[in-house]
């Protein structure tokens, strides 16, 4: 079985969060979706589980971070700078906040940042594959 990651995120408004992630290109997996949670698929190995606050509370007693805090930054790669810019524009148009940190352009890597409507931080980036050193 190939490796997969399920990123669990608490959300205040599940339909709003689902609409936001759909606008960014995620698809919904209805087999793992109900009125308390939604599985949004980026690709076969990357899934985002959107959990209502009540559902989240069933997994942990730790408090949910406020929308202005940064509990984690999730970096995800794209095939081009244009795709990074497209995802930032889609986020801003659908309830997210674009460029919460200054964009970074180092020539071989281009990165921007956004938050979803609940304040979760994403860092879409493009990296020139030729700049990646070969593995030994």
């Amino acid at each position: 079985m190939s490796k997969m990651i399920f990123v669990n995120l608490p959300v205040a408004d599940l339909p709003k969060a689902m609409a936001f992630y759909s606008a960014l290109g995620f698809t919904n997996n209805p087999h793992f979706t109900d009125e308390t949670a939604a599985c949004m698929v980026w690709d076969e190995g990357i899934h985002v589980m959107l959990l209502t606050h009540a559902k989240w509370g069933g997994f942990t007693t730790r408090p949910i971070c406020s929308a202005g805090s940064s509990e984690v930054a999730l970096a995800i790669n794209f095939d081009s700078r244009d795709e990074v810019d497209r995802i930032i524009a889609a986020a801003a148009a659908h309830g997210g906040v674009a460029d919460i940190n200054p964009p970074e352009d180092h020539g071989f890597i281009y990165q921007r940042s956004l938050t979803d409507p609940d304040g979760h931080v994403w860092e879409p980036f493009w990296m020139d594959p030729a700049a990646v050193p070969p593995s030994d």
Side-chain angles (χ1 to χ4, degrees):
M1 178 183 240
S2 62
K3 302 289 185 203
M4 298 189 316
I5 185 169
F6 287 80
V7 177
N8 297 299
L9 299 175
V11 299
D13 182 328
L14 185 58
K16 181 179 179 178
M18 289 176 69
F20 175 82
Y21 283 93
S22 291
L24 298 188
F26 288 73
T27 58
N28 178 252
N29 180 337
H31 298 293
F32 299 105
T33 299
D34 62 21
E35 65 280 350
T36 66
C39 179
M40 303 301 291
V41 180
W42 180 250
D43 74 14
E44 64 186 44
I46 302 171
H47 303 76
V48 174
M49 292 299 301
L50 305 172
L51 307 171
T52 63
H53 287 193
K55 181 80 163 190
W56 181 268
F59 293 106
T60 182
T61 58
R62 295 175 58 89
I64 295 170
C65 295
S66 66
S69 63
S70 294
E71 78 274 14
V72 67
L74 303 162
I76 192 163
N77 72 307
F78 287 85
D79 293 333
S80 69
R81 292 170 180 259
D82 289 341
E83 282 295 299
V84 170
D85 292 340
R86 183 196 62 75
I87 204 85
I88 291 292
H94 292 91
V97 178
D99 296 320
I100 60 162
N101 298 310
E104 293 185 35
D105 188 347
H106 301 285
F108 68 96
I109 190 167
Y110 176 65
Q111 177 178 309
R112 295 179 68 184
S113 57
L114 64 95
T115 61
D116 71 8
D118 290 279
H120 303 294
V121 179
W122 290 87
E123 295 180 333
F125 73 94
W126 165 84
M127 183 171 23
D128 180 356
V132 177
S135 59
D136 295 330

